[in-house]
Amino acid sequence: MNTQIQEMAELLDSAAKNASPIAQLSGRYNFSEKDAYAIQAASIQRRHERGEQLIGLKMGFTSRAKMEQMGVHDMIWGRLTAPMLLENGALVLDRFIHPRAEPELCFKIDKRIDRQIGLEECSAYVSKVAAAIEVIDSRYENFKFSLEDVIADNCSSAALVIGEWQEAGSLDLSSLGMQLQVNGDTIAEGSSSAILGNPWESLVEASRLATKYGLALEAGSILMAGAATPAKYVERGQEVSVIVEQLGQTGFKVV
Ligand code: OOG
Ligand code: MG
């Protein structure tokens, strides 16, 4: 399996680097969920070798809306690296295959989390939250994949923008209105309650899964909590933004 893990990691890494999609790996290889996380780790290792720093983790399929859109029924987690942060608010379309945007919340970890924490402990580890957009870009043709495929593909992670950090302590995050807009028109709308009933639960789950796979949520790192609505394809020329009640807005232009 080890050689195959490296082989699959290289295929996915090259697909991302060259913005050129590949056929689903599950059609050609037989691999488990555990193997899929090993492929993810190996493909991210290739990015680290090119100098990309880890900036945090992301949760995926924390909402029913996303699970239904993609036909997948389990939570997943992936890794975020520094070049994924969109600079100057621009998404350069040519660098992606078929990018989609989704409205999210992002947490900033203040204190290292290296064990599973409970809901009531979250505020001791995280004090900042922000409106965010995640851009996902499956490396698979037609954005089609199995659970193992998408885990191996680092959960489709491609890019993100984060709005201004807000103090999380004084806010109730459990039912904030969230809108994804294109050129000022709302194209997807939901509530933060779609994210596991309360986005803090996404941090709890991240602490559980990270610990299970031998990782910690490092101080200073970020956690993307997962999308509240289905993701939407973006096109050149669009101004894409997210507005989250009480948290504010952020966005990018597609160039
Ligand atoms: C996988 C990534 C899911 C989320 O927020 O639920 C995700 C995908 O939909 O391609 O990022
Ligand atoms: Mg997401």
Side-chain angles (χ1 to χ4, degrees), residues 105 107 123 126-131 164-176 192 198-200 244-248:
L105 296 187
F107 291 113
S123 60
V126 170
S127 64
K128 299 274 198 295
V129 62
E164 239 176 76
W165 293 110
Q166 310 290 344
E167 291 296 331
S170 54
L171 295 167
D172 178 0
L173 300 183
S174 65
S175 64
L176 303 176
S192 60
N198 174 356
W200 286 115
V244 181
E245 195 183 341
Q246 300 208 52
L247 295 185

Side-chain angles (χ1 to χ4, degrees), residues 58-63 66 69-70 76 102 104 134 136 138 143 145 150 155-156 225-227:
K58 68 168 269 186
M59 293 295 289
F61 303 134
T62 46
S63 72
K66 281 289 305 180
Q69 181 182 31
M70 305 317 294
I76 57 178
E102 49 189 29
E104 301 217 8
E134 185 180 24
I136 52 173
S138 176
F143 232 108
F145 43 68
V150 68
C155 308
S156 310

Side-chain angles (χ1 to χ4, degrees), residues 38 78 89 102 127 133 151 213 218 222 230 250 255:
E102 49 189 29
S127 64
I133 301 177
I151 291 168
Y213 286 93
E218 299 295 343
I222 59 168
T250 186
V255 298

Side-chain angles (χ1 to χ4, degrees), residues 47 140 186:
R47 288 181 181 241
Y140 300 114
T186 299

Side-chain angles (χ1 to χ4, degrees), residues 17 63 70 91 102 171 185 189-190 192 196 215 228 234 252:
K17 210 156 34 100
S63 72
M70 305 317 294
L91 181 96
E102 49 189 29
L171 295 167
D185 295 326
E189 194 162 13
S192 60
L196 294 175
L215 288 185
V234 300
F252 59 84

